[in-house]
C-alpha cells in the first residue's frame, strides 16, 4: 500500500529523520532553500520529504513553520527489517562521507572503536547498556540551544565466526 511504502521510505532514507530533527532547531529559517542547504540535499528532494511527511501526518504546517506531530519516533529493535537494514547502510555511508569530507572539522565529529574479546552471554546486557547510552546522549545533546543535527551510530558485531 502507499502508506506502507511511505513508512518504509521514512525509516530507510536518512533524510526523513534528519528533517524531523532539523525542524527542532532553535534558530531556523523557514524556507525550503535554507532547509535543503542545511541538510546538504537537492531542493526537489526536500520537497518530496516534506510532502511525504505531511501525507503521513508526521508533520503539520503552522504558518511558515513545520511542526512534528510526534515528539519521538521509534522503530522496532531486535527484528530484521529491510527498511532498517537500508537505514543502517545509509548511516554507515554518511559516516564514511564525513570521514572523507575535509569540510567537517575534527573537533565537530568523533569516530572511535574498540575490538573486544567477548563473553556472548553478556550481549543482552551490552545491548541494554547501548540503548541506555543512546537515550542519555540524546538527553544531553538536546539540552540548551539546539543549532545543528548530528547522527550518533553505535555498532556491536562479531568479527569472528561462531
Amino acid at each position: 500500500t502507499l502508506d506502507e511504502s511511505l513508512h518504509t521510505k521514512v525509516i530507510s532514507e536518512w533524510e526523513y529523520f534528519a528533517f524531523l530533527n532539523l525542524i527542532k532547531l532553535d534558530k531556523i529559517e523557514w524556507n525550503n532553500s535554507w532547509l535543503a542547504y542545511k541538510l546538504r540535499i537537492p531542493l526537489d528532494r526536500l520537497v518530496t520529504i516534506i510532502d511525504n511527511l505531511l501525507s503521513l501526518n508526521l508533520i503539520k504546517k503552522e504558518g511558515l513553520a513545520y511542526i512534528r506531530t510526534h515528539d519521538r519516533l521509534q522503530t522496532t529493535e531486535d527484528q530484521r527489517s529491510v527498511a532498517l537494514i537500508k537505514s543502517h547502510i545509509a548511516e554507515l555511508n554518511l559516516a564514511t562521507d564525513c570521514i572523507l569530507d575535509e569540510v567537517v572539522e575534527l573537533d565537530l565529529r568523533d569516530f572511535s572503536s574498540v575490538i573486544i574479546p567477548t563473553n556472548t552471554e553478556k550481549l543482552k546486557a551490552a545491548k541494554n547498556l547501548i540503548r541506555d547510552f543512546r537515550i542519555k546522549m540524546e538527553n544531553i545533546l538536546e539540552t540548551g540551544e539546539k543549532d545543528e543535527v548530528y547522527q550518533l551510530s553505535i555498532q556491536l558485531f562479531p568479527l569472528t565466526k561462531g
Side-chain angles (χ1 to χ4, degrees):
T1 67
L2 181 59
D3 273 359
E4 195 173 304
S5 172
L6 285 180
H7 281 102
T8 299
K9 282 182 177 292
V10 169
I11 293 168
S12 65
E13 298 172 10
W14 69 269
E15 300 97 332
Y16 287 94
F17 277 96
F19 180 83
L20 288 169
N21 286 284
L22 177 67
I23 63 176
K24 291 175 69 175
L25 295 182
D26 292 313
K27 293 180 181 173
I28 189 165
E29 294 181 28
W30 294 110
N31 69 70
N32 287 355
S33 295
W34 186 87
L35 296 168
Y37 169 80
K38 286 298 280 185
L39 291 176
R40 302 177 200 184
I41 61 174
L43 185 57
D44 60 332
R45 176 73 176 136
L46 177 80
V47 170
T48 299
I49 290 163
I50 291 170
D51 289 345
N52 289 342
L53 291 171
L54 285 167
S55 70
L56 291 170
N57 295 315
L58 293 175
I59 60 171
K60 62 184 177 181
K61 188 147 180 153
E62 288 185 2
L64 296 175
Y66 295 101
I67 309 296
R68 289 174 63 147
T69 57
H70 299 80
D71 188 46
R72 292 183 61 85
L73 294 174
Q74 189 169 339
T75 61
T76 59
E77 293 183 345
D78 293 330
Q79 294 181 16
R80 287 191 73 78
S81 157
V82 172
L84 285 175
I85 290 168
K86 288 180 179 179
S87 172
H88 294 313
I89 291 169
E91 291 163 1
L92 292 170
N93 288 332
L94 287 170
T96 301
D97 291 346
C98 186
I99 290 170
L100 298 173
D101 185 355
E102 295 179 18
V103 176
V104 179
E105 299 294 328
L106 293 175
D107 62 335
L108 297 178
R109 60 180 173 88
D110 182 70
F111 286 86
S112 58
S113 65
V114 61
I115 297 175
I116 310 165
T118 301
N119 176 344
T120 57
E121 292 179 6
K122 308 270 184 175
L123 282 178
K124 184 174 181 174
K127 288 174 79 169
N128 287 333
L129 188 62
I130 290 169
R131 289 175 180 135
D132 291 343
F133 169 76
R134 283 191 339 240
I135 292 167
K136 287 179 183 178
M137 184 65 81
E138 186 177 2
N139 290 335
I140 288 170
L141 293 175
E142 284 193 342
T143 302
E145 185 175 309
K146 294 165 283 303
D147 57 348
E148 295 290 343
V149 177
Y150 269 65
Q151 169 78 40
L152 172 67
S153 301
I154 304 166
Q155 297 83 33
L156 177 65
F157 57 92
L159 294 178
T160 53
K161 186 174 182 176

